[in-house]
Amino acid sequence: MKTKINILGLCAILTFIGATSCTDIIDDSYGKVMSEKYSPKTEADISYVVNAAYVSWRETMLLWNGVVRSQELAADQDVLPARQGIGWVDGYIYKRWHQHQWTTEDDGVKQGWERTYSGINACNRILSQIEENIIEVTGETRDNLIAELKVLRASYYYILVDLYGNVPIVTDFKDESLPQQANRQDVFNFIINEITENMDHLSETPRGYYYGRFNKWVAYTLLAKMYLNAEVWMGTPAWDKCIEACDKVIAYAESSKEYTLETNQKNVFITNNENSKEIIFALPFDHIYVTDWNAFDFHMYTLAPEQQETYKLLHRPWGGVCATPQFIRTFDDDDIRLHENYIYGDQYTSVGGSEPLMRSDGKGQINYVLDVPNIDESDVCDGYRWGKFEYAVGSTNVLSNDWPLFRYADILMMKAEALMRSDKSGAGQLVTQVRQRAFANNPEKATVTDDDLKKGSSYDYGRRDTYQTTQQGGSDIKYGRFLDELGWEFCQEGRRRQDMIRFGIFTTKSWFSHDVSDNTKKLYPIPNSAMLTNSNLKQNPGY
């Protein structure tokens, strides 16, 4: 259960999914601020207003076929194969994701667009109500609220510029004309301007009523993300600006002690993780209030059906997603992240128990093995399962772990990458800092140098399934060792596609049942449903 202050601060979000309304200004079905006059007086009142605009971040990331799948299932760490006796064929949508053959009609293409624009619409709606004094705020309170909503709106465009590139920039809630499409560079500049122009009005408070909201340090982290990807999205690198934004967060962290690495990475992902000082920005969850069926369902998504008994789950899991064997083979055996972030080997009837958990088909004990035959067929036990987030015993279909979208380890790694790419020293020291907790029992293995990070990848790329075997390797990847480090630290966090594109291998390498794809697949297509409703849109090349 989250703390009382977090529940109060999140009431506007929670009403979206059908919980009892916390205040009369929130519609109990859609989390929309209603049209009657309202005058917020306290921080809690402000939270009730602004938090309704954060709902779509949770939805676009984690609801069924959300951005987490767009980033992970198209990349080289995870695969969702057809499962004998279980299913997961689903019209071959997951196979198309894996093989970069998605269409403009695919649900994963559609949801990233529609849910994100829903968040933009919510921001625009509340901004319009402030401007019209339906929400009556004045002075510094008004300025701060407007600034927060504009930076939040910019964060939704961060998703769009990454996934789709050329998208409409919509800022007027009452403009009923069809929006014009902006090019990727203009969208990039819009995001940067919205963040920088509103930065000074954001709170510096990291928790309390600002938990799960954009404060100044969240904004600097988002700014660093933008500059980290500037070469891809803008055509011009911005490594120094990325370093500058990271340094703002690092300086605050060191002086305030409000942000720091957890001694154990697992503490970032436990059920009651809301007090983790590694989390800079989280999407708050509590199964009592967030009741969308697929709101946060990693345990359902990855565990074999029989493991309902292990975790005493209220619902039977579906046994789907697993790790790509080639990725697992890149880990050092002494890396605790392999053993704590994945579930493998013999499984038992209780967590930490010794009684074997038997397969329902009578073929022995549930035992997760490394290898998977191919994208079209797999056994219930094939593949290591996701286990980074704690699966609390007795969980419903929704986990209560908060989702750490931005965390302090990412700040250190972004600065390290920017230093490396701009040929400055210090990347190795920062990466070593992140690695130390992963090799607590073998500290000598934690140390990496600047030169180490510039070497090739240990990922053995090439087709590796029962259909075909090819050899590509990873030694030719520039800064490939650094890409490996990102994979080991941030697996299962909904970002791998973005990292692979930045390192130039998303469409140029093969893995598992995936062949080299066309360069146009670095962008998803604009969904057909959007094309049909806006004649001003031009489809991305290759679709």
Side-chain angles (χ1 to χ4, degrees):
M1 176 65 69
K2 306 305 177 188
T3 61
K4 183 177 180 181
I5 191 170
N6 290 333
I7 294 299
L8 290 174
L10 295 172
C11 281
I13 290 180
L14 304 178
T15 56
F16 182 90
I17 44 77
T20 302
S21 181
C22 298
T23 170
D24 289 343
I25 69 158
I26 304 298
D27 182 286
D28 63 3
S29 297
Y30 298 102
K32 297 179 180 179
V33 177
M34 299 171 72
S35 60
E36 60 262 27
K37 293 277 187 177
Y38 178 69
S39 300
K41 305 296 184 185
T42 66
E43 288 285 5
D45 295 338
I46 295 295
S47 293
Y48 299 154
V49 171
V50 73
N51 279 342
Y54 284 87
V55 173
S56 290
W57 251 114
R58 168 177 64 76
E59 295 177 327
T60 195
M61 286 297 293
L62 289 164
L63 277 182
W64 193 259
N65 292 337
V67 171
V68 167
R69 290 188 182 178
S70 298
Q71 296 285 4
E72 297 294 348
L73 294 187
D76 62 357
Q77 291 183 341
D78 304 293
V79 63
L80 185 46
R83 296 279 183 188
Q84 294 175 4
I86 298 176
W88 288 107
V89 177
D90 293 2
Y92 300 101
I93 180 174
Y94 312 114
K95 182 176 181 177
R96 289 196 295 275
W97 242 324
H98 182 69
Q99 298 184 333
H100 294 188
Q101 295 177 357
W102 45 75
T103 74
T104 62
E105 296 284 356
D106 277 351
D107 191 53
V109 170
K110 174 184 176 182
Q111 297 301 347
W113 178 282
E114 292 188 352
R115 293 170 184 163
T116 305
Y117 269 111
S118 177
I120 292 167
N121 185 61
C123 292
N124 288 338
R125 180 179 61 248
I126 299 172
L127 285 167
S128 177
Q129 291 169 324
I130 293 170
E131 291 171 0
E132 296 179 2
N133 289 323
I134 294 171
I135 300 172
E136 296 180 319
V137 284
T138 59
E140 186 177 356
T141 299
R142 185 178 191 273
D143 294 341
N144 295 347
L145 183 55
I146 289 174
E148 182 180 353
L149 287 163
K150 286 185 175 182
V151 176
L152 173 59
R153 182 176 63 190
S155 75
Y156 287 122
Y157 279 105
Y158 159 75
I159 296 175
L160 293 170
V161 77
D162 180 17
L163 296 184
Y164 306 100
N166 311 304
V167 301
I169 299 173
V170 182
T171 58
D172 187 344
F173 179 65
K174 293 194 171 182
D175 186 357
E176 296 183 359
S177 62
L178 294 177
Q180 296 293 323
Q181 188 173 18
N183 64 45
R184 201 177 201 183
Q185 290 79 10
D186 288 341
V187 180
F188 181 95
N189 289 329
F190 170 78
I191 297 168
I192 295 293
N193 291 337
E194 288 288 276
I195 298 171
T196 55
E197 290 176 3
N198 292 285
M199 181 79 74
D200 290 342
H201 289 288
L202 298 179
S203 172
E204 296 186 4
T205 303
R207 275 171 281 278
Y209 285 113
Y210 288 90
Y211 181 75
R213 289 171 55 185
F214 267 71
N215 60 30
K216 185 173 290 187
W217 317 115
V218 180
Y220 273 122
T221 305
L222 178 61
L223 195 62
K225 283 281 185 185
M226 294 298 301
Y227 289 135
L228 183 73
N229 292 285
E231 189 170 23
V232 174
W233 299 344
M234 183 68 172
T236 304
W239 309 123
D240 287 344
K241 290 182 178 180
C242 178
I243 293 168
E244 182 181 353
C246 290
D247 279 342
K248 294 287 188 181
V249 181
I250 292 170
Y252 174 75
E254 292 178 346
S255 63
S256 69
K257 310 302 180 186
E258 291 288 353
Y259 298 124
T260 187
L261 290 177
E262 290 281 355
T263 304
N264 183 348
Q265 187 211 59
K266 196 71 175 179
N267 290 336
V268 183
F269 304 97
I270 59 174
T271 301
N272 295 311
N273 60 347
E274 63 270 17
N275 293 316
S276 171
K277 288 193 174 183
E278 186 163 335
I279 295 176
I280 296 175
F281 177 64
L283 308 178
F285 281 86
D286 190 311
H287 74 275
I288 294 175
Y289 299 93
V290 181
T291 57
D292 302 282
W293 179 259
N294 298 109
F296 187 4
D297 57 7
F298 280 14
H299 54 322
M300 305 293 290
Y301 183 40
T302 194
L303 296 175
E306 291 87 343
Q307 287 219 272
Q308 180 179 14
E309 183 176 358
T310 303
Y311 295 92
K312 308 300 183 280
L313 303 176
L314 272 64
H315 303 278
R316 195 164 174 82
W318 314 314
V321 74
C322 64
T324 304
Q326 286 154 286
F327 171 61
I328 294 297
R329 290 189 173 98
T330 67
F331 277 94
D332 187 304
D333 285 341
D334 291 324
D335 190 334
I336 197 172
R337 293 171 296 192
L338 169 61
H339 308 295
E340 291 195 343
N341 293 341
Y342 289 93
I343 300 170
Y344 59 91
D346 289 335
Q347 301 301 302
Y348 301 92
T349 58
S350 62
V351 176
S354 58
E355 181 181 349
L357 178 68
M358 307 308 290
R359 296 171 54 129
S360 58
D361 59 8
K363 295 181 179 181
Q365 186 175 1
I366 293 288
N367 174 27
Y368 295 132
V369 298
L370 175 60
D371 289 321
V372 186
N374 57 66
I375 189 70
D376 294 316
E377 60 174 332
S378 64
D379 181 71
V380 68
C381 289
D382 290 337
Y384 284 17
R385 303 309 164 94
W386 286 8
K388 193 169 198 174
F389 287 87
E390 178 188 16
Y391 300 153
V393 173
S395 291
T396 69
N397 55 297
V398 178
L399 295 176
S400 290
N401 321 53
D402 292 347
W403 175 271
L405 189 70
F406 297 147
R407 56 186 178 98
Y408 192 60
D410 201 8
I411 288 289
L412 300 179
M413 294 295 278
M414 284 194 290
K415 180 179 179 180
E417 183 177 338
L419 288 170
M420 177 187 68
R421 289 182 180 273
S422 55
D423 206 25
K424 297 176 181 177
S425 63
Q429 182 180 2
L430 291 168
V431 175
T432 296
Q433 187 177 344
V434 174
R435 284 174 59 86
Q436 284 172 337
R437 62 187 177 185
F439 293 93
N441 297 325
N442 302 86
E444 70 282 356
K445 289 189 173 183
T447 302
V448 291
T449 67
D450 290 2
D451 288 338
D452 289 335
L453 297 172
K454 295 177 182 179
K455 295 177 182 178
S457 169
S458 61
Y459 197 116
D460 188 15
Y461 285 97
R463 274 291 294 262
R464 297 297 161 75
D465 60 9
T466 53
Y467 295 140
Q468 187 178 4
T469 297
T470 63
Q471 303 292 333
Q472 283 186 303
S475 61
D476 60 328
I477 300 173
K478 188 176 183 180
Y479 310 130
R481 171 57 190 273
F482 196 98
L483 179 62
D484 289 348
E485 294 289 348
L486 293 175
W488 298 327
E489 179 63 25
F490 298 108
C491 60
Q492 304 170 42
E493 293 186 52
R495 55 173 286 164
R496 183 63 174 179
R497 167 192 161 275
Q498 185 184 104
D499 290 339
M500 290 184 72
I501 290 172
R502 198 169 60 254
F503 281 78
I505 65 167
F506 183 65
T507 60
T508 62
K509 291 288 188 181
S510 300
W511 57 87
F512 193 58
S513 293
H514 166 87
D515 292 314
V516 170
S517 62
D518 188 87
N519 196 47
T520 59
K521 296 304 185 289
K522 291 179 183 178
L523 285 176
Y524 281 105
I526 297 172
N528 190 48
S529 57
M531 296 290 294
L532 291 174
T533 56
N534 186 351
S535 58
N536 293 328
L537 296 178
K538 181 180 179 181
Q539 185 58 269
N540 286 328
Y543 297 102

